Amino acid sequence: MPQYEALVHVLWELPFPLRLPPVAFFCWEPGEGVALFDPRPEVGELAWKRRSGFLQAAEVFAEPGLSNECYPTHDYHITSELRSGREIKTALLTCGPAGGFAEARPYTVANIFLCLRQRADYVSAAVLERADDALNNILDVYRFVTMDPLARSVRADHDCYYTLVSVADLPPEVGEIEPRSALQMVACLSFGSVIGMNRAHHVGLNSFDDLLAGEIIPSDVLRLFDFLISAPHDLELFHQLIFSAIRRLKRNEHALAVLDAQSALESLVAVLVVENLTRQGKTLQQIEAEMAPGGRFHTLQRRLEELDRIAVTQTPSSAQPRRFLSSPEEAQWRTALYGLRNRIVHEGLRTVPFVDAKAALVAGLHAIYRIQDLAHPFGRAMIWSGATLDLGHIQQSAGRISRLFEA
């Protein structure tokens, strides 16, 4: 049997409630095979203020403009009625320039206890990795059995604004002991509270890069913005999917960002083929048959070939026909995006580095532009082009603390 010198307590605050009783559960962990998970329900407040008490707008923006002087003049409590009929306060709206809101937010205090063969290891990164693996295994199982829309996986290095790690010595006379038996002693031990002696803490998140909105958009982009807002526009599905991919990239959901980017390209390609069939006078039923399994344009490859064929017919005889297939954009798309997407979907790849995910999005954007630029009918009033395609403004960062609490 192993011999342990201490138990270590890792405490996280999960930004969502778990519908579990406040009792300890033995669970898996990769180091010793068993850990202790003790969830506790709690209610906190998520607050917003119109003015910061420690940072002024002039310190962030080059041109903050005139100060707004129009504010709500009264405070309001928002209440909700429980199923029992009892009414409770759930939010407070506050008035004035420094007002805002405070919203009650149930959350979970997640306590993970691990066995340590060497007491000094409590400050090591390996302990956080063991606790992280144990917690995410718990959360994945919880999501499976509840299908809870709020619960999600977390990463110790990205999704925790403050982590406490405390150690408690096991009595020397315990000797060799099974990990489950050692963990059962947790209530009898005294866990440390002195940083550097028997407690460590890890402060994460809150990136300076994400605080700043960036410089005012360049004059050429500003002119485009000014022109576009003079008319109504309906964003297409591929636009929305690209926005989703970018958002996921910033939220460290890299694998899902890749899936959204590939879906964006496939959506645009399908729409362009359908539009061409419509121009040919095909009925809705005929178009559905062409796009359905067994139809001429069921696969992505067939659709891309059709777009190239259309582009050739649209090219003047004096000009060189433009094609997507065999272009540099196609080669980059197949390598950086399509191939990575297939590894995620078909091979179970789940961990994708930020740099690879961003490269996939960039490849998708360049491919989308190339396709739209093949022929006039493929064009759109809103087309990304030029330096925009390289997403230079999207950089990896720790993110804002408040990101954790987004539903």
Side-chain angles (χ1 to χ4, degrees):
M1 288 190 295
Q3 187 166 350
Y4 301 111
E5 291 185 354
L7 298 184
V8 64
H9 171 211
V10 182
L11 181 147
W12 283 305
E13 295 168 358
L14 303 179
F16 44 80
L18 298 178
R19 293 184 289 115
L20 295 173
V23 298
F25 297 86
F26 285 110
C27 63
W28 169 87
E29 68 101 348
E32 301 297 334
V34 60
L36 200 63
F37 172 59
D38 186 2
R40 300 298 173 93
E42 191 51 270
V43 176
E45 285 187 4
L46 193 62
W48 160 260
K49 294 176 64 177
R50 298 184 186 93
R51 296 274 179 86
S52 170
F54 55 85
L55 185 66
Q56 302 302 309
E59 298 177 73
V60 177
F61 302 107
E63 298 180 23
L66 296 176
S67 176
N68 180 63
E69 299 300 334
C70 181
Y71 304 103
T73 55
H74 295 84
D75 294 345
Y76 297 94
H77 267 117
I78 307 298
T79 63
S80 299
E81 187 174 314
L82 301 178
R83 292 174 181 171
S84 64
R86 186 164 64 93
E87 193 173 54
I88 61 172
K89 297 174 183 176
T90 53
L92 172 65
L93 308 184
T94 50
C95 64
F101 73 85
E103 179 186 49
R105 184 65 66 89
Y107 70 98
T108 302
V109 179
N111 301 283
I112 299 285
F113 297 90
L114 306 172
C115 295
L116 293 182
R117 301 193 184 208
Q118 302 291 329
R119 179 191 186 276
D121 290 343
Y122 83 94
V123 295
S124 70
V127 163
L128 278 184
E129 292 173 4
R130 287 168 59 188
D132 181 277
D133 288 343
L135 179 62
N136 278 299
N137 186 63
I138 292 165
L139 292 176
D140 285 347
V141 172
Y142 175 83
R143 294 162 69 195
F144 173 76
V145 300
T146 64
M147 291 193 174
D148 190 325
L150 297 179
R152 61 182 186 271
S153 299
V154 298
R155 289 178 54 183
D157 57 343
H158 284 96
D159 297 330
C160 299
Y161 73 97
Y162 196 88
T163 304
L164 280 180
V165 182
S166 305
V167 68
D169 297 317
L170 285 169
E173 60 270 19
V174 168
E176 294 183 350
I177 188 173
E178 292 289 348
R180 184 178 289 255
S181 300
L183 290 165
Q184 287 176 327
M185 302 174 64
V186 67
C188 305
L189 301 178
S190 177
F191 287 85
S193 59
V194 181
I195 299 294
M197 181 178 298
N198 46 31
R199 172 176 284 186
H201 64 177
H202 303 268
V203 178
L205 295 177
N206 194 240
S207 166
F208 177 75
D209 292 334
D210 291 319
L211 165 66
L212 299 179
E215 301 294 335
I216 292 177
I217 58 179
S219 57
D220 57 335
V221 180
L222 193 60
R223 285 193 297 271
L224 175 62
F225 170 80
D226 189 43
F227 170 74
L228 289 174
I229 62 172
S230 64
H233 298 279
D234 290 323
L235 292 173
E236 297 185 53
L237 179 58
F238 82 91
H239 289 119
Q240 302 284 10
L241 286 167
I242 289 295
F243 295 149
S244 177
I246 292 172
R247 179 176 172 81
R248 289 188 185 280
L249 187 63
K250 285 297 293 181
R251 291 174 61 88
N252 299 301
E253 299 170 354
H254 299 155
L256 295 177
V258 172
L259 298 187
D260 280 346
Q262 175 60 23
S263 295
L265 182 137
E266 293 187 18
S267 172
L268 173 64
V269 169
V271 167
L272 295 178
V273 172
V274 168
E275 287 179 350
N276 186 65
L277 293 173
T278 302
R279 286 192 294 269
Q280 293 176 11
K282 301 283 188 180
T283 66
L284 179 60
Q285 292 74 17
Q286 290 172 324
I287 292 173
E288 290 177 348
E290 297 271 33
M291 304 291 285
R296 282 195 303 158
F297 306 122
H298 172 56
T299 66
L300 178 59
Q301 182 66 24
R302 292 276 185 85
R303 295 173 184 180
L304 291 172
E305 291 170 355
E306 176 66 3
L307 294 185
D308 275 357
R309 187 197 65 77
I310 298 167
V312 170
T313 65
Q314 294 280 327
T315 305
S317 57
S318 59
Q320 182 70 25
R322 291 175 56 79
R323 294 179 174 86
F324 175 71
L325 297 176
S326 300
S327 69
E329 290 82 359
E330 187 225 358
Q332 188 63 21
W333 160 68
R334 288 201 183 272
T335 301
L337 176 53
Y338 191 58
L340 184 56
R341 175 265 183 195
N342 288 343
R343 291 182 59 199
I344 294 169
V345 173
H346 302 304
E347 299 177 18
L349 180 66
R350 290 295 176 268
T351 302
V352 177
F354 173 89
V355 64
D356 292 346
K358 180 179 175 179
L361 266 65
V362 168
L365 282 168
H366 277 271
I368 285 172
Y369 176 74
R370 173 78 183 202
I371 290 169
Q372 289 182 311
D373 196 44
L374 290 177
H376 179 72
F378 300 165
R380 292 295 191 265
M382 302 176 74
I383 299 177
W384 291 298
S385 62
T388 301
L389 303 175
D390 295 321
L391 298 179
H393 63 295
I394 306 297
Q395 303 296 326
Q396 188 171 23
S397 63
R400 296 186 179 100
I401 293 175
S402 60
R403 173 180 64 79
L404 295 182
F405 299 91
E406 296 175 0

